[in-house]
Amino acid sequence: MKKHIIPIILLGYFGLLFLLLIGLETYWYLYEKPQSQPIAFSHQIHVLKMTLPCDLCHMYATKSISAGIPSVSKCMDCHRAIATDKPEIKKILKYWQNRKPIPWVRIHSLPDFVYFSHKRHLKMGIDCSECHGDVKAMATIRKVRSLKMGWCITCHKSRSAPTDCLTCHK
Amino acid sequence: MLIVDKYILPPSPEHFLILKYILILMLMIHLPFVSMLIGGTFFSVVFNILDKKKQNRIYLNFANDLIDTVAVNRSVGFILGVVPMLVVTLIYTQILYTVNVSAVNFLIYSLILLLLGFTSLYFYKYTFHLREAVFGVHIFSGILGIIFFLAAYFIFSISFSLLLDPGEWRFVKNPVELISYWNAVSKYLYFIVSSLAITGGGILFFFFHWSERKIDHDSEYSGFIKNFGLILALIFTLLQPVLCLWNLATLPEIAISQEVFGFSAIALFLSLVISYMLCAMLKNPEKKLGVHIFSLFLLTFLITALNDQTTFYNTIKEHIVLMAVRAEGLSSELKIRELTGAAEEAQVNVKKGEMVFNSICSACHSFDRRAVGPPFKMVLPKYQNKEDELKTFVRNPSKKNPGYPSMPKLGLKEDEIASVAAYLLQRLQTESQKQDISK
Amino acid sequence: MSPEAPGHIEIREQRDQVEKDILTSMKKPSLLFLACLGFTVALATVLLACWGYQIKTGLIVSGKNHPVGWYMYITSFVFWVGIAHSGTLISAILYLLRAGFRKSFNRSAEAMTVFSLMVAGMFPLIHLGRIWLFYWLMPYPNQRQIWVNFRSPLIWDVFAVGTYFTVSLIFFYVGMIPDLAIVRRCSDGFKKRIYSVLSLGWLGTPSQWRHYNQLYLLLASLATPLVLSVHSVVSWDFAMSIVPGWHTTIFAPYFVAGAIFSGTAMVILLVIPMRRMLSLEKYISVDDFENIAKILLFTSLIVTYSYIVEFCLAFYSGNIFEETVYKYRVLGDFKIMFWIMIFGNSILPLTLFIRKLRRNLPYLFVTSIFVIIGMWFERFVIIVTSLARDFDPYNWGIPNLSIIAIGIVLGSFGLFFMMFLLFVKLFPVLSITELKEKLE
Amino acid sequence: MHRRDFLKIMGVASSSTLMTSCDLEKQSEKLIPYLLPPEEEIIPGQSIYYNTTCTECPACCGVSVKDREKVYNNMRGRYPVKLEGIPGHPVNDGTLCIRGQASLTRLYHPDRIKKPKLRDSKGNFIDIDWSNAYSQILDALRESNNGGYKNIYLSGRTTGSLSDLIDDFCKRTGIERAAEFEVYSHSAIKEANGILFSKREIPLYQIDKADYLLTIGADILETFISPVSNAVRLSHAKRKSDFKWFHIEPHVSLTGFQACEKFTINPGTEVYLLDFLLKNMLNMKLYKKRLPEEVVKYIPDFSQEEVSSKTGLKLASLYQIADQFKKAKMPLLIAGGISTRHSYGLETAVLTGLIQWITGMTDSVIDFSRAENYSGVGTMVQMEKLSNRLSNNEIGVIFIARTDPSKSIPVSYFFKENIKKAKLRIGLSDLLTGTIKECDIILPLSHTFESWGDANPRSGLKTLIQPALEPLFKTLSEGDILLHLLKGDLKDLPFRNFQEYLFKKWNENYGKALTEEFLKKGYYEESVPKKEIRLDNKSAVAFLKNIKTLDRIAKPVLVVTPSIRSFDGRSSVLPLLNEIPDPLTTISYGQWVSVPPKTAKSLMLSDGDEVEISAPGLSARLPVKVQPGLPEDTFAIHPEMLSTQVFQADKRSGEGVCYLDKIKIIKTGASVSIPVLSGSMSQKGRGIVPNPVNKKREYDRGWNNMYPEHKHKDYRWAMAVDLELCIACSACVAACYIENNVPVVGKRHHLMGLEMSWLRVEPFFNGHGKCNFVLMLCQHCDYAPCEPVCPVFASYHNPEGLNIQLYNRCVGTRYCSNNCPYKVRRFNWFDSQWPEPLDRMLNPDISVRTKGVMEKCTFCVQRIREAHDTAKDESRKIRDQEVVTACAQTCPTNAIVFGNILDKKSQVYKLAHSERVYRIFEPLGTEPSVYYLRKKGDKNES
């Protein structure tokens, strides 16, 4: 016992740290890891390559608080003809035929006590990439800003936008 | 940045990969060296002062040997210390020259500080033999050196952690703003701790394995050094993983990926092994594990460097893609030019138009078939030698044919629009001619 | 070395005797003791269980309602903070005044202070609606870039109680160091190790003593103002509001007096059984009890006076809101509590004018129990009645009886006594060194 | 520290012990797209309004339903979240009553029938599908026709195209359509008008034109014909300087307390009073000649002393009432409601009619040309007949649609028993009511907001019914059901569903253009020819002849008064209407009997004591509520308080009697806890409703503030409440509940004093049997006591003068609530539940508060935010009345005005500077932003 005391202590110590590491990883895996989407939609192809504008699909961004996720029929408009042989596109077709909306996984979500208006921000001439990053370069969409209150406030201050709590909280 | 834009060719993806590994290599050789430099100098100064107080030869010798060992000579200092830092700075500048982030400027500050550090350090080193005469100046230069170094690497780690959080790039304008930035702090502390740890390792290695010094026939002295080295190494090796985890916990979401955890795990394991060896050596001083320990320390540094670069590259994923696209664009431009040789602009224009057509329009339009959009030979004729109208339509399309979904407004550049229009009309002519012939 | 004079020898013997007696009190616990401990532990677990349940279901189980938003928890908070006070009073102020009878009580009083503050500190958290966000009450730099509201008396509470706890803890500990050294000397094995760590390598060299005394004096004079400040701040939780019956200028002194009153009662409550159990009659004399009984009497008179003033204020104000509240206190739904309070705090202590009763320990014991109950009810009456009858008659209402709340309050007593019992066995309950000093 | 960081630590901590499931579901938050893009005008995240008609009561107010799009079980859809009146609507002009507001909870009622049901052999219901139900019904019809039985179609009040369709259906399938059943059929008035003017109709009472209104028993502001429309008109009248309103009733009602003068009359003696008045009129030559001699001759003749003694009114008051008549230029007399629901109801109505005739009301303020459409509504007598026929086994198949007679017609008819004798009983309903439970086949009806249709509240007015959402369950509208049945019968129907049927009809009637307008506006009003009204002397004489001396209703008497919350009891199934207290008693849940204070004293009764009320055929145990102002020996209950209707019906008028005399009241000794929300019936002299004397502000904030004064740059939101106009109808309360996701917590919690209402109506009775109502909501004080005490800035003062409560910042110390003199803050003591499908009603613009959080009125900040948004888009400031809070929006009398008080031209500014203005608890120096306007010439001690 006496002679093994040191390795035991060491192992215990490092074991604890390792547990912590696992904990962090679990957390990351659960909350921060970009979830896989039902369809491997690539903004890269649509925006970067095909140079389609954002508001072609997210058509309410300039009109409403929510940017709007394109309706399945919207996808079908083009993909009736384009790249119909690709497996991912076939998936869309399936959803369309079963009259089922596509259950996209939400990446940019705010707590429900937050009021955020896409319209207002865009009307102020703030570019989408300020909060969403270079989406056009993303093969799979991911969150590149913390979207935490501190971050919002910093930006609001820097643009001397209102910082009254009520501006964002409901 | 415009000038730069003109003259620097944006790097291609492969290029980025190369840069990554150069970066890692540079840090790999640079960081251990400066770490030991800082640690060594620090303790040298400490013992220097201790000797002044207690008049103990061992301290003095140790102080002297330490500084000799860590700061080998000016040229080495320059090669291992300044050059890599310079390279690193340059590489970051190259990678990020299109984005507005002040981190790069920070790196330059730290470079300057580094230089200052080196000068005062070597001053300290070369005034050692006349320390009796000018003790004050001598010690002061040493302390100053340390301070410079610490400052330099504080800024360094800060700017690095800033690089990992694009959300802040717009807002952070000077290093001081980041002092309360957890990730920066953790990185810095990690640096300090590992530098002290490796110093310990370094002592064990350089004093007992590197060059057989006078220490062998001076058991008291060697015993003291050995103990000191061991204890130092052990304490900070045990601290290292804690800070590693802290750093991990404070990393921004986007910087993290599966590998990062892998690397941290390896780092953890390494420090376990190291600390075990150290304990073994403490138990019986006869063991000669200095080499292993030191090499393991170097390995840890490598892992850390890898880890950091992975996080960095995770962060700038999109950026790389964009750069690559730019590169392609420019190179294709060149390609066309050499294809058509010194042909007239129009020719080039049409060629470019063809490329645009193939990459974009062809998705929805074909010439004689109905796709998403109508076939060109149906819609184009009304634009016959009305190129401007065609351009305006492409610029912002409007719903024309009821049978088809309205064409989206595309993000084409002016010159692209022009060229594609030119191409289309030309193509139309050729096609119609073909038909005439066939008739 | 000249042979020592006989006087010295017997002093040495007495000293050893003192040591032995005090230390024997730390030896093997008696069955009675264990029984008490078990009981208190049970109560403490009740507290935890109730608390857990409350967090799960929400505060609906705590019996509060609209309009009575503060109820038993805040009552207990104020009560326990109050209890803490006499500890400091006895150890610090009496130390500065060089009062002789201090030595019999100071250690247990200090312990009491620390423990009651622990319990008290728990209650604001228990009463929070969203306890999982308690840290929002602390000012610290955060990514949200917002701070606490320094205008709010509740924030002052955080600071006041926090400071008070730290100071009294240090005071308690520092006071114990020399004794811990003695304990270390007389114990062995694992225990020895612990105590040697605790006693911070105390050797009792003259220089150490010199420094020690300076430090102790300093701490005492630091703690003294706190006696006044802390409970004043706590009282401002109420005085700063506009609620009729709370919004009064006399609250600060009124509460401080009440605090010391209740605290003293608690000391008596603790020390009398302790004296019996650990058979310390030799060191804690009846005279000492008489002295402390005088304090009790005195503070009771102050408290009674403040009651009268309070009512007069309401009466002379001619303010309909105030008048209603005070009428309600005397005749309303909570009149029983009010009259118990009057009996316990104002009438019963008057009997202590009689010397015989002052020196009659059982009587003292009973009295102090009444005082403690009375003081709890005092806080209860102040808090609840004022809320139950405030400005808009439409909102008048009374809170609901709640098992959970009662469980938590009783549990808090359990927790407190548990800690005290443990203290009795782990640390010397009387300051050995001081007793020794007294022998010279 | 951020919640997620907290979680992070938790994650680390609990890494060894694995992650809990709740964390796992958090991560997979879905983003559900539409399948097809919504129509053009609909933008996700913004509200859309659909104009339709409220069918909670027969009044047919126009509502515009506010829709928001939400995601439920992975489908994006649109759901109504709020109801508002259609501005300019002839009935309710943009306002709604408490029931109207709450009717949204009927749409989302958790107990709605979700599928057609069939009673199986064992007598319990099983779900079947529609086609099955249809075939069953058709077979049954065929059988009973063959068997020579009669088939009956009994429905509640039905107007518009649906009524026509039912007729059509009945004709084609050989069903006899029974007269519609309404408890409050007002048939006495109809009868009387038939006798006098040979017009069996209920005219339109144009209260707004009158300058003297005398209401006898008619609770015009609660249930009388069209309460909202009455209230709107009344408010117009009240705005005139010289308007007087006397109210006479045998009990106390909300309406009574709103009148300038209120007289208590002995039950059933209205005839004497009217006779007295009539004779007074006749003494004036101006009126004399309007009535021919032979009629005058037969007018019964009572001495004024007799009148006084019988009615219990002092001579002085009698003359006061009469003289007002003489003074008035444009008098209006309405007798109805409770005064016509007794055995002399018809006499009352007839005499009233005579007075109306001779004073010429009939061609000025009383409009027969726009008569209320009660033509189809039958009487109790007809129900009795029906019941008898049932008992004689004449009836084969009986349809019972949208009505619940078994509960509200006299038990002596044995309807409940007889109905079992029908061969097949088919119930069409949305909820399982008493009668529907007796049926064999239950066809679930869609709510009005789920179906197409139109209504016809009064002649010359058609209102639209259109769906605002897809049916929540497998339900159909009545029209569709009938068409389906017809289809099963004959194949040649020119339309597939009721919608097509309607559109066809509308296009025929109005043509394309008007139909379009109709669909847009939600109503269509056509000009109607003025009707010539003349007295039919013969029948009048014939009737007057046999008026004999009447025997009075002997006290102690039990009165069933209609309730503003439950109408005739039908709305009592809505949870929200139970949550909102009855304005007079402030009792929210459960049953009670109101007892006059004097009687209570003599019987030694106090609130909550249980009493046994016994009379022939009745024995009920109810808890007591002592009701100030109630005349001696008069006990009042609401329809839903009794399980069965023991009262008789009047044979001639066919109205149900609502008096039960010679009752016995015995104290059982038991005591029941009833949720009386008010802590005190009187204001204890606290000047919450001050008297005119202390109207000058003697309290000025003499002291100066330690902290900097608040600066308000462009906006400072404020509210003015005119207590002269406020009728305490509690519509605002209901609106507030729904607009702000205020949870409905239930009886248990009300008993504990944990109600959550942000806005409440406080009744304060004074010594003289008068009652003043005060609207209490967050006063948004400039120096709010709640703000400085909050440790975490969850409560703070925002730049626009709002007193904000930040739910996600609140840690729940409840200090703010303690320190609030108005006690308008509500604490979430537990996580409130929204049972399916009620959760679809939640307003997405406000977060749902979790347990441990303080909440309160926000001046509907979400609406302010919306207005800001539009204003910014048009880069201008917010206009006056652009922001209207939910309470102000729904107020039938427009007593609540909201706006920016910094804007000198705004309405609220003007009101806040009227000479009647005062603020509650001004001496406290809280500087509230809610301004109250005292009643004109109010005479009550402060």
Side-chain angles (χ1 to χ4, degrees), chain D residues 212 214 246 248 263 273 275-281 283-284 302-308 311 313-328:
Chain D
Y212 169 51
L214 177 61
F246 290 175
I248 301 166
F263 304 95
L273 171 68
D275 178 74
F276 172 82
L277 290 175
L278 184 55
K279 286 218 271 359
N280 262 276
M281 299 293 136
N283 297 344
M284 303 165 65
F302 307 114
S303 74
Q304 62 184 29
E305 290 69 21
E306 190 184 1
V307 171
S308 169
T311 57
L313 289 163
K314 293 194 206 60
L315 274 178
S317 2
L318 282 174
Y319 278 106
Q320 187 186 358
I321 299 165
D323 296 348
Q324 235 356 288
F325 250 114
K326 302 211 178 91
K327 281 205 220 82

